[in-house]
Amino acid sequence: MKSFALFSLGALLFASCGLKGSGEAEKQPSLMTVEFKGEADSTITNPKGKMKLFAVPENVADVEATLLDEVDFEAATIPFSVEFNIPVDHTSLIKPAINEGDKVKYYVAMDWDSNGDGKVDSTDVLIDFDRQFPNVDVTQLHQEVFLK
């Protein structure tokens, strides 16, 4: 009877090694919040827009960036925030393929007809490239991008 109890206890301990929460971290997509700051006096007629998160190998020139996430948002005022979902395996999605240790540049782009005139142009709220290119660091939880 004593050996049966020890055997049962050992089997229970061994079986629990693969259970969720048993010390093994399950890889989940991470969220990165980007706060968009800018001129508070911007008139926003159309609050609906789209933000995109792109990645491109840093050591390769003239290649199309890889879209990692696309988020529809609504913003009636500035500042506002958008959360991007960073896939666990996002580096495997980047084209052209990168090698382990290669540097990757991440940036955001905006598609927003904020004045509601039916076209996205210089009369809308835009990313302020004069102040800073909208690069982001996917290892940081919170980022800032400036608008004009």
Side-chain angles (χ1 to χ4, degrees):
M1 184 71 162
K2 189 177 185 183
S3 62
F4 178 74
L6 286 174
F7 175 77
S8 298
L9 182 60
L12 181 63
L13 286 173
F14 181 75
S16 68
C17 289
L19 294 178
K20 219 189 256 189
S22 65
E24 285 185 30
E26 191 173 303
K27 292 192 175 189
Q28 300 276 333
S30 60
L31 290 177
M32 177 183 67
T33 301
V34 178
E35 183 178 8
F36 293 88
K37 294 181 165 189
E39 301 172 14
D41 63 345
S42 298
T43 304
I44 299 172
T45 306
N46 175 22
K48 295 181 180 185
K50 188 174 298 239
M51 291 291 181
K52 298 175 183 180
L53 173 65
F54 289 97
V56 65
E58 197 171 279
N59 62 347
V60 180
D62 299 326
V63 295
E64 187 173 329
T66 302
L67 177 64
L68 294 180
D69 194 20
E70 188 172 59
V71 178
D72 291 321
F73 71 91
E74 286 193 34
T77 60
I78 297 173
F80 63 93
S81 294
V82 173
E83 284 191 341
F84 290 100
N85 187 5
I86 312 294
V88 173
D89 64 343
H90 74 274
T91 54
S92 68
L93 304 173
I94 298 171
K95 303 294 180 221
I98 60 170
N99 297 316
E100 189 174 329
D102 285 353
K103 292 188 179 193
V104 177
K105 183 180 278 192
Y106 301 91
Y107 66 92
V108 294
M110 181 170 64
D111 184 19
W112 188 16
D113 176 21
S114 62
N115 64 10
D117 67 357
K119 57 186 179 223
V120 177
D121 59 17
S122 63
T123 62
D124 293 303
V125 175
L126 302 168
I127 292 175
D128 190 350
F129 288 96
D130 295 330
R131 186 163 180 187
Q132 175 185 351
F133 193 81
N135 290 332
V136 291
D137 180 350
V138 296
T139 64
Q140 300 296 314
L141 297 177
H142 184 86
Q143 309 284 312
E144 291 180 349
V145 171
F146 297 99
L147 303 174
K148 62 179 178 176

